[in-house]
Amino acid sequence: MKLAKSLQQIQPSYIREILSAAQAEGVISLAGGLPDGDNFPIALMAQSLIDLPTKPELFQYGHTAGFGPLLDYFQKAYQLPENQSAIVCTGSQQGLDLIARAFLNPGDKVVMEAPSYLGALQVFGLAQADVVSIEQQAEGPDLEQLESCFAEQEIVMFYAVPDFHNPTGVCWSLEVRQKVAALCIKYGVTLIEDVPYRELRFTGEALPLVSSFCPDHSLVLRSFSKIATPGIRLGLVTGKTDWINPLIKVKQSADLHSSIPMQAVLLDLLSHGEFDKHIQNLRDLYQKRYQVLSDNLNQKLPSGCELNSVDGGMFVWLTIPDCDVFDLAKAALENNVAVVPSSVFYQQGAKITPALRLNFTNASEAELALAVDRLVEVINAKCTCA
Amino acid sequence: MKLAKSLQQIQPSYIREILSAAQAEGVISLAGGLPDGDNFPIALMAQSLIDLPTKPELFQYGHTAGFGPLLDYFQKAYQLPENQSAIVCTGSQQGLDLIARAFLNPGDKVVMEAPSYLGALQVFGLAQADVVSIEQQAEGPDLEQLESCFAEQEIVMFYAVPDFHNPTGVCWSLEVRQKVAALCIKYGVTLIEDVPYRELRFTGEALPLVSSFCPDHSLVLRSFSKIATPGIRLGLVTGKTDWINPLIKVKQSADLHSSIPMQAVLLDLLSHGEFDKHIQNLRDLYQKRYQVLSDNLNQKLPSGCELNSVDGGMFVWLTIPDCDVFDLAKAALENNVAVVPSSVFYQQGAKITPALRLNFTNASEAELALAVDRLVEVINAKCTCA
């Protein structure tokens, strides 16, 4: 059989190759987007897991939209207005895929900030959407570019990660949030607000969801991979019921429903009295690691390299002038530190800022310090900024 | 947002409405495709479930193709040849969806027997494929129709359920299997062999997979919903590695990977010393229930109605001449027995055989006998065959 046309356009994922090489012995990986595996809330999930054999009803076929009690929980926890509902997905990755399948025809236009989350680029590629890139600035998307793009082109949706963006770590300011929402309403564009890192803020106060300013013009994607665990593969989409229903229809074909035992365990975890404390511990842990990475880089980096500072999330973005970052990442891997070159986060043909994405959640403080030494060696050897 | 073109063609699922109504108190449901919930192998899964909290590594992100030890198990259990591999899916429903997304462009032709599995009709509808229906006979597809269809049209794939077909219960004879495989090889058509009910044979000897006669022209879809449990949502696709790799690529966008804790539990279950005995118990249970349903129907049905006999699976097919089966199913529901009218199993425009699909795996023997009384009342009242 020949590959479908939609699949022929999908590039092999270089990041997958890096991640695979990053598992080699002796390599410190700042490449992945993995939460810390030693700090999963397994203790808070244990009783629920142990009780599963006493609940055979959880092992039968279930509803496509999700496990009833979990949906009830979300309805309350997120205070969904009357015209909104929720669908549980097999990871928020599936949520995005369902949205693309339900609402995009080939050639439809989707706006994204550049650089962008790779998994979203893949989904929109598979949907054969026409991705329109706009620049990202320190406080969010370039609003002028965004407005002229909305005004001049027929845009279906704007996909964004406003809280601790992947790959840059940027968090949109309150003003940007309000202005983006106003533009979505003005031009009838749907905001797809992806917030997997929202709970991982370790400095400052949480800002309102962008969607809270345009509830009828948005869908929110939530992940439980960062605050619960990724292996259970559970995410959530909330928004207008009129838009959730088509997602349920597509999900019926896509996988019927997500694992019910895992949904029941997630519900018990989210309702657990100690869950908030777990999140706070996670924030503290990640903040310390971020600080070690950031301090070491700021001390040791040659001038010309620029590290953004972040208030949460899992990544920092290190810009390096005049450098082949692909080549740099390869050399770093040979020096036993894995990082991701910025080039993979741009759609083909986009103007690429030379940079590296560095993850700080899945290596110890000692490893992070050592990783910086190795990385700086390579930067000094390879880059003209040195 | 407007619905994508592909979704506009999908009809609301009448069967979902029936299944929902079938849950009302007092209704005996022969409508669903549910395995018996009182006989899940929970006891054989219990230790594995209880041990999950001691294995935090199962809760991290995993490989898209599946949990390594489970893939190793499948490689051995199904004796996959060197050029073949496997991908674990979020239910076999996802397997089929991935196949359609990886290999079908809108307008591509897919052959199916009529009537057909509803979930497959939905997947191919979403893929905007052109479904070509051929008639099903007592021993499988009409081979003359199949060959002329393969010879005269450009067919990409032939989707089939050769073991205890849903909805008819038909099991292909050995001769038909060999001939279909030969036709697939001759005309370069890929067979998508879906075998969710294969292990549920209670009479006679198992026949070889059709794919065993055309291994390089087929993909096999396996489900663990019937022999393990549906709630864990795990299925499998096996076939040439050249065809499995594109499925992995699509799955990366679709949901990254399936639940790892559930895959680990499935592996423990399949490897359990008592698992074969569980399957044998299931076969015995379903055979007894089938016998009660079939004996009662044969005794009480008016002449003109025809019940097929089956050697396994979960369904029988009851043909009823000169009858509006949709109307009949509605009247049956009012008389507290839920059944599925044949019309839902045909693509739009196809010639419909008036019939009902009756499930015998999810009601007790007493309920099955009572359900027949209620159904026969309605048939006598509504149908000219009475």
Side-chain angles (χ1 to χ4, degrees):
Chain A
M1 287 185 290
K2 271 186 219 155
L3 284 188
K5 220 175 122 192
S6 55
L7 199 57
Q8 287 170 12
Q9 302 175 338
I10 306 291
Q11 299 300 310
S13 169
Y14 171 69
I15 202 171
R16 287 259 143 183
E17 284 168 45
I18 288 191
L19 292 181
S20 169
Q23 291 175 357
E25 218 190 297
V27 173
I28 300 173
S29 179
L30 313 186
L34 274 62
D36 186 74
D38 293 333
N39 284 278
F40 287 150
I42 302 289
L44 309 187
M45 300 159 82
Q47 195 56 52
S48 185
L49 288 164
I50 289 167
D51 287 347
L52 283 176
T54 66
K55 299 172 179 168
E57 68 278 9
L58 298 176
F59 291 80
Q60 188 55 281
Y61 282 111
H63 293 293
T64 303
F67 178 52
L70 183 62
L71 287 173
D72 292 344
Y73 172 89
F74 288 137
Q75 193 84 29
K76 273 183 222 153
Y78 300 130
Q79 299 181 296
L80 299 184
E82 220 168 70
N83 69 337
Q84 291 202 6
S85 48
I87 173 174
V88 177
C89 300
T90 310
S92 66
Q93 181 70 35
Q94 185 188 47
L96 184 58
D97 191 45
L98 296 178
I99 290 170
R101 295 178 79 183
F103 297 110
L104 292 177
N105 294 310
D108 277 357
K109 291 190 176 185
V110 174
V111 174
M112 293 174 89
E113 291 171 285
S116 276
Y117 167 51
L118 199 65
L121 282 170
Q122 284 177 317
V123 163
F124 294 129
L126 210 54
Q128 298 175 272
D130 179 4
V131 173
V132 180
S133 295
I134 57 162
E135 271 173 51
Q136 189 187 54
Q137 299 174 325
E139 304 217 317
D142 181 318
L143 293 173
E144 261 182 52
Q145 267 189 39
L146 190 69
E147 174 148 22
S148 53
C149 167
F150 282 9
E152 289 158 21
Q153 304 182 54
E154 204 174 316
I155 305 296
V156 178
M157 53 182 77
F158 174 26
Y159 170 84
V161 185
D163 289 290
F164 319 117
H165 182 264
N166 176 358
T168 63
V170 162
C171 184
W172 296 9
S173 69
L174 179 62
E175 197 191 337
V176 165
R177 287 167 194 250
Q178 288 166 328
K179 285 190 173 160
V180 167
L183 290 176
C184 285
I185 294 171
K186 179 172 175 188
Y187 294 99
V189 171
T190 302
L191 175 72
I192 310 300
E193 185 171 18
D194 193 0
V195 295
Y197 315 110
R198 184 169 170 78
E199 287 83 5
L200 299 183
R201 172 185 284 276
F202 41 68
T203 312
E205 288 294 311
L207 294 168
L209 286 174
V210 184
S211 305
S212 68
F213 303 114
C214 56
D216 290 341
H217 290 78
S218 55
L219 286 167
V220 180
L221 279 164
R222 293 178 194 266
S223 164
F224 301 100
S225 294
K226 315 316 190 243
I227 55 171
T229 76
I232 61 172
R233 305 304 309 127
L234 290 174
L236 187 75
V237 187
T238 58
K240 282 199 292 190
T241 303
D242 289 351
W243 288 346
I244 297 296
N245 285 339
L247 303 185
I248 296 174
K249 224 171 181 180
V250 180
K251 187 169 166 68
Q252 218 175 296
S253 282
D255 64 3
L256 290 183
H257 62 78
S258 301
S259 163
I260 311 283
M262 294 292 92
Q263 290 185 63
V265 170
L266 179 64
L267 174 60
D268 289 344
L269 173 64
L270 297 175
S271 323
H272 196 292
E274 307 265 300
F275 185 64
D276 285 346
K277 205 173 127 194
H278 156 70
I279 306 257
Q280 192 50 53
N281 290 343
L282 218 52
R283 288 185 192 120
D284 295 345
L285 178 79
Y286 291 168
Q287 178 169 34
K288 274 188 216 146
R289 290 182 176 180
Y290 162 65
Q291 214 56 58
V292 168
L293 178 67
S294 149
D295 290 351
N296 273 274
L297 283 169
N298 286 327
Q299 269 170 36
K300 296 171 189 168
L301 276 175
S303 65
C305 295
E306 214 173 307
L307 182 73
N308 68 340
S309 73
V310 300
D311 293 328
M314 301 175 67
F315 306 107
V316 288
W317 187 244
L318 176 62
T319 51
I320 301 167
D322 300 324
C323 189
D324 177 340
V325 284
F326 195 87
D327 189 48
L328 182 66
K330 244 176 96 177
L333 198 55
E334 281 161 23
N335 204 32
N336 286 328
V337 57
V339 296
V340 185
S342 55
S343 46
V344 309
F345 301 109
Y346 292 85
Q347 60 169 143
Q348 271 191 310
K351 195 190 138 232
I352 294 167
T353 299
L356 301 174
R357 185 191 75 176
L358 309 181
N359 166 269
F360 55 80
T361 61
N362 195 39
S364 68
E365 293 180 29
E367 285 169 332
L368 287 164
L370 185 55
V372 169
D373 290 341
R374 291 176 183 173
L375 183 62
V376 170
E377 266 176 42
V378 176
I379 291 174
N380 284 331
K382 285 267 169 187
C383 296
T384 53
C385 58
Chain B
M1 287 184 290
K2 275 188 218 153
L3 284 188
K5 222 177 121 192
S6 55
L7 199 57
Q8 288 170 11
Q9 303 176 338
I10 305 292
Q11 298 300 309
S13 172
Y14 171 68
I15 201 171
R16 287 259 144 183
E17 284 168 44
I18 288 191
L19 292 180
S20 169
Q23 290 175 359
E25 219 190 295
V27 174
I28 301 173
S29 177
L30 313 187
L34 274 59
D36 187 73
D38 293 334
N39 284 278
F40 287 150
I42 302 288
L44 309 188
M45 299 159 83
Q47 195 56 52
S48 185
L49 289 164
I50 290 168
D51 288 347
L52 282 176
T54 66
K55 299 172 180 169
E57 68 278 9
L58 298 176
F59 291 79
Q60 188 53 282
Y61 281 112
H63 294 292
T64 303
F67 178 52
L70 182 63
L71 287 172
D72 293 343
Y73 172 90
F74 289 136
Q75 194 84 28
K76 273 182 219 151
Y78 300 129
Q79 300 181 297
L80 299 184
E82 219 167 71
N83 70 337
Q84 290 201 7
S85 47
I87 174 174
V88 177
C89 300
T90 309
S92 66
Q93 180 71 35
Q94 186 188 47
L96 184 57
D97 192 45
L98 295 178
I99 290 170
R101 295 178 78 182
F103 297 110
L104 292 177
N105 295 309
D108 276 357
K109 291 191 175 184
V110 174
V111 174
M112 293 174 89
E113 292 171 284
S116 273
Y117 167 52
L118 199 64
L121 282 171
Q122 283 177 317
V123 163
F124 294 130
L126 209 53
Q128 296 176 274
D130 179 5
V131 173
V132 181
S133 294
I134 56 163
E135 272 172 50
Q136 189 187 56
Q137 300 173 326
E139 305 216 316
D142 182 318
L143 292 173
E144 261 181 52
Q145 266 188 40
L146 189 69
E147 174 148 23
S148 53
C149 169
F150 281 9
E152 288 158 21
Q153 302 182 55
E154 203 173 317
I155 305 295
V156 178
M157 53 181 76
F158 174 27
Y159 170 84
V161 184
D163 290 290
F164 319 119
H165 183 263
N166 176 1
T168 63
V170 162
C171 185
W172 295 9
S173 69
L174 179 61
E175 198 191 336
V176 166
R177 286 167 194 252
Q178 288 166 328
K179 285 190 174 160
V180 167
L183 289 176
C184 285
I185 294 171
K186 182 173 173 189
Y187 293 98
V189 170
T190 302
L191 175 73
I192 310 300
E193 185 170 20
D194 194 2
V195 295
Y197 315 109
R198 184 169 169 79
E199 287 82 4
L200 299 183
R201 172 183 284 278
F202 42 68
T203 313
E205 289 293 312
L207 294 168
L209 285 174
V210 183
S211 304
S212 68
F213 303 115
C214 57
D216 290 341
H217 290 78
S218 55
L219 286 167
V220 180
L221 279 165
R222 295 178 192 268
S223 164
F224 301 100
S225 294
K226 314 318 189 240
I227 55 172
T229 76
I232 61 171
R233 305 305 308 126
L234 291 173
L236 188 76
V237 186
T238 58
K240 283 198 293 190
T241 303
D242 288 351
W243 288 347
I244 298 296
N245 284 340
L247 303 185
I248 296 174
K249 224 171 180 177
V250 181
K251 187 169 166 68
Q252 218 176 298
S253 284
D255 64 3
L256 289 184
H257 61 78
S258 300
S259 163
I260 310 282
M262 295 290 92
Q263 291 186 63
V265 170
L266 178 63
L267 173 61
D268 289 344
L269 173 64
L270 297 176
S271 322
H272 196 291
E274 306 265 300
F275 184 63
D276 284 347
K277 207 173 129 196
H278 157 69
I279 306 259
Q280 192 50 54
N281 290 343
L282 219 52
R283 288 186 191 118
D284 294 345
L285 178 79
Y286 290 168
Q287 179 169 34
K288 275 188 215 146
R289 291 183 175 181
Y290 162 65
Q291 214 56 59
V292 168
L293 178 68
S294 148
D295 289 351
N296 273 274
L297 282 169
N298 285 328
Q299 268 170 37
K300 296 169 187 170
L301 276 175
S303 65
C305 294
E306 215 173 304
L307 182 72
N308 69 340
S309 73
V310 300
D311 294 329
M314 301 174 69
F315 305 106
V316 289
W317 187 245
L318 175 63
T319 52
I320 302 165
D322 299 326
C323 190
D324 178 339
V325 284
F326 195 87
D327 190 49
L328 182 65
K330 243 176 99 176
L333 197 55
E334 280 160 23
N335 203 31
N336 286 329
V337 58
V339 297
V340 185
S342 55
S343 47
V344 308
F345 301 109
Y346 292 85
Q347 59 169 143
Q348 270 192 309
K351 198 189 136 232
I352 294 169
T353 300
L356 301 174
R357 185 190 77 174
L358 309 181
N359 166 268
F360 54 80
T361 60
N362 196 37
S364 69
E365 293 180 28
E367 286 170 331
L368 286 165
L370 184 55
V372 169
D373 290 341
R374 292 177 182 174
L375 182 62
V376 168
E377 266 176 41
V378 176
I379 291 174
N380 284 330
K382 285 269 172 186
C383 296
T384 53
C385 57

